[in-house]
Amino acid sequence: MIKNNAVLATVVFAMAVTVSSVSYTFYQLYENNRAKHIDNIFSKHSLISQIYHTYLVKQISQPIFEANLALYNLDEVLDHHAYEAIVRYGKVLKSDGNTADDLMQDFSLPSSSFDTHVSQQVITSMIEYQGNIYFWVESARHSMLLEDRSIEPYHPVNLISAYGTLMMILLTSFALIIYRLRPLRHLRKQIARFGEGDMGVRFRISGSDEIALIANELDSTQNKIRALIEARTLFLRNIMHELKTPIAKGRIVATMLSDEKQRGRFEGIFERLESLIGEFALIEEIASGNQHHQKSEYRLIDIIDGAIDLAMVEYDAVERNIDASIKVEVDYRLFVTAAKNLIDNAIKYSPEKKMRIWTEEGEIIFANTGEVLKHPLGYYIEPFTKEAPTKDSFGLGLYIVDAILKEHDYILAYERRGEYNCFICVPAKIKRR
């Protein structure tokens, strides 16, 4: 499936990589901006810690401490239940800790003023709860929760808008690419139909893009091919028709000859010409692919019997060892012709004028005794080639056999087995050892 839609798969893969990359980049931007926002807010914690520590060491009174908190929009959370809920369920954004000595260094006050106080840890944590920001300040002696009314949690509205806009552009581009590629699937189906011999198929597509230009060029080429095929078919039919008429007249005239030797010679010549025309017609039918052959199941033994009748040889000359239950799905007329040519070829080149036919693991074997072939099988499959000149052969027999077998998904093979030359019809789906 992927091989048949490689272009679409590539586009989908590229789209997935692009979306993933953009999404990851925006996620990193979100994390970085959020971290900076939190850091900027948390920078306020040092001031809160200093105010809290001065209050702790009794350097400022309660009213002044509350006034300092109000100055920075900080309210102490006094409700016990709210305090517990925020501390327990709030999300800690950041936390830091400083000793009293560290805090004193931030003040330009003499450290001797605080020699009587024990150095202690002050921890400030920034908490987000229900859309509000809180500072939880702790020490060994006291803790308090402050709500910052001037600060809001980080809301990446602009970032989300930019991400959504970019995703919309990418998805729209992807949809446009898929829309533009749709004619390719239709074009592929049309080409497949044309390859199967449907000459009425049309490739033309409206538009001026690259796919439409290719389709229209294919349509123009198809018209030229159709014209060539029609011209060739008309030419061959006319030639065959024109040849058959003088041949028929010649055979009639030959019967009027008083010399039997001359009469037999002329009749043989006209029979050869008729046979040649018939073979040409069969070759044209197979090669053109215009005919839609009707394949059905037939018993192999019936096909062999029909081939023997067509070859006009004696049944005693053909030794058959075929199971009557074996069936093959073929075009009867064509397959009988192929078998006939193999039988005729085997008997013609057999010193005994006999041959054998049998099946073996799905293969159909036509064998005769005689000399081993002087050339590879491919030499004899070519048209107008034969082992030795004879008056009864035009060198088209094996060429026709090979063409018919290919139409039926068979392969013609040759083996020398002892004294036998074996021509084997091998189903293409069988892997030979």
Side-chain angles (χ1 to χ4, degrees), residues 242-415:
E242 294 299 327
L243 286 176
K244 284 182 178 180
T245 301
I247 289 173
K249 292 180 179 179
R251 295 191 67 172
I252 295 172
V253 172
T255 59
M256 300 178 182
L257 293 175
S258 57
D259 189 335
E260 291 186 4
K261 185 177 180 180
Q262 292 294 332
R263 185 170 62 247
R265 183 177 298 172
F266 277 108
E267 287 179 351
I269 292 173
F270 291 127
E271 286 177 1
R272 289 173 60 195
L273 288 173
E274 283 187 338
S275 177
L276 182 60
I277 291 173
E279 289 184 349
F280 279 153
L282 186 60
I283 291 171
E284 193 277 334
E285 177 183 331
I286 296 171
S288 65
N290 292 333
Q291 302 294 326
H292 296 280
H293 306 301
Q294 298 296 326
K295 296 180 181 179
S296 301
E297 277 196 348
Y298 298 94
R299 293 196 310 164
L300 181 59
I301 188 67
D302 294 335
I303 291 175
I304 298 301
D305 288 343
I308 294 172
D309 293 335
L310 189 62
M312 293 184 292
V313 297
E314 297 294 333
Y315 276 83
D316 295 340
V318 181
E319 180 184 340
R320 295 165 295 165
N321 186 15
I322 299 173
D323 189 340
S325 64
I326 297 177
K327 293 183 178 181
V328 290
E329 186 175 354
V330 296
D331 182 292
Y332 182 82
R333 182 176 65 90
L334 289 181
F335 213 77
V336 164
T337 302
K340 170 257 182 187
N341 282 359
L342 287 172
I343 292 171
D344 184 64
N345 188 73
I347 292 177
K348 185 183 299 180
Y349 292 101
S350 171
E352 302 171 353
K353 300 303 178 183
K354 292 184 178 182
M355 55 96 59
R356 296 177 58 201
I357 304 175
W358 73 90
T359 59
E360 189 176 287
E361 297 181 355
E363 300 176 348
I364 310 169
I365 303 171
F366 298 77
N368 71 331
T369 57
E371 296 182 2
V372 65
L373 298 184
K374 296 179 182 179
H375 305 283
L377 180 62
Y379 171 82
Y380 300 96
I381 290 176
E382 292 296 323
F384 303 107
T385 56
K386 48 192 175 181
E387 189 66 38
T390 66
K391 67 182 182 64
D392 299 321
S393 174
F394 300 100
L396 292 171
L398 290 183
Y399 173 75
I400 294 174
V401 169
D402 181 64
I404 292 175
L405 291 182
K406 287 179 179 177
E407 282 288 315
H408 293 82
D409 295 325
Y410 278 80
I411 298 170
L412 182 62
Y414 167 78
E415 288 182 0

Side-chain angles (χ1 to χ4, degrees), residues 55-75:
Y55 169 71
L56 236 145
V57 297
K58 306 299 183 181
Q59 292 297 306
I60 58 175
S61 62
Q62 178 72 24
I64 295 176
F65 174 65
E66 293 177 355
N68 284 335
L69 293 179
L71 181 64
Y72 293 102
N73 295 314
L74 295 170
D75 292 330

Side-chain angles (χ1 to χ4, degrees), residues 182-300:
R182 281 181 60 192
L184 277 179
R185 301 185 67 182
H186 175 72
L187 187 60
R188 185 186 66 184
K189 293 178 181 178
Q190 297 296 86
I191 292 173
R193 287 177 55 193
F194 181 69
E196 292 171 358
D198 185 359
M199 301 302 294
V201 66
R202 304 294 299 178
F203 297 110
R204 187 164 295 279
I205 297 176
S206 59
S208 58
D209 58 8
E210 291 83 354
I211 297 176
L213 292 175
I214 292 173
N216 295 336
E217 285 297 326
L218 279 173
D219 192 73
S220 177
T221 304
Q222 181 215 27
N223 291 334
K224 295 177 182 177
I225 292 173
R226 186 189 295 113
L228 288 173
I229 291 174
E230 290 176 354
R232 186 194 67 175
T233 302
L234 182 61
F235 173 76
L236 288 174
R237 287 178 180 175
N238 287 336
I239 288 292
M240 290 181 207
H241 176 74
E242 294 299 327
L243 286 176
K244 284 182 178 180
T245 301
I247 289 173
K249 292 180 179 179
R251 295 191 67 172
I252 295 172
V253 172
T255 59
M256 300 178 182
L257 293 175
S258 57
D259 189 335
E260 291 186 4
K261 185 177 180 180
Q262 292 294 332
R263 185 170 62 247
R265 183 177 298 172
F266 277 108
E267 287 179 351
I269 292 173
F270 291 127
E271 286 177 1
R272 289 173 60 195
L273 288 173
E274 283 187 338
S275 177
L276 182 60
I277 291 173
E279 289 184 349
F280 279 153
L282 186 60
I283 291 171
E284 193 277 334
E285 177 183 331
I286 296 171
S288 65
N290 292 333
Q291 302 294 326
H292 296 280
H293 306 301
Q294 298 296 326
K295 296 180 181 179
S296 301
E297 277 196 348
Y298 298 94
R299 293 196 310 164
L300 181 59

Side-chain angles (χ1 to χ4, degrees), residues 171-190:
L171 292 175
T172 303
S173 301
F174 175 71
L176 287 174
I177 292 172
I178 297 300
Y179 176 77
R180 287 294 185 181
L181 289 177
R182 281 181 60 192
L184 277 179
R185 301 185 67 182
H186 175 72
L187 187 60
R188 185 186 66 184
K189 293 178 181 178
Q190 297 296 86

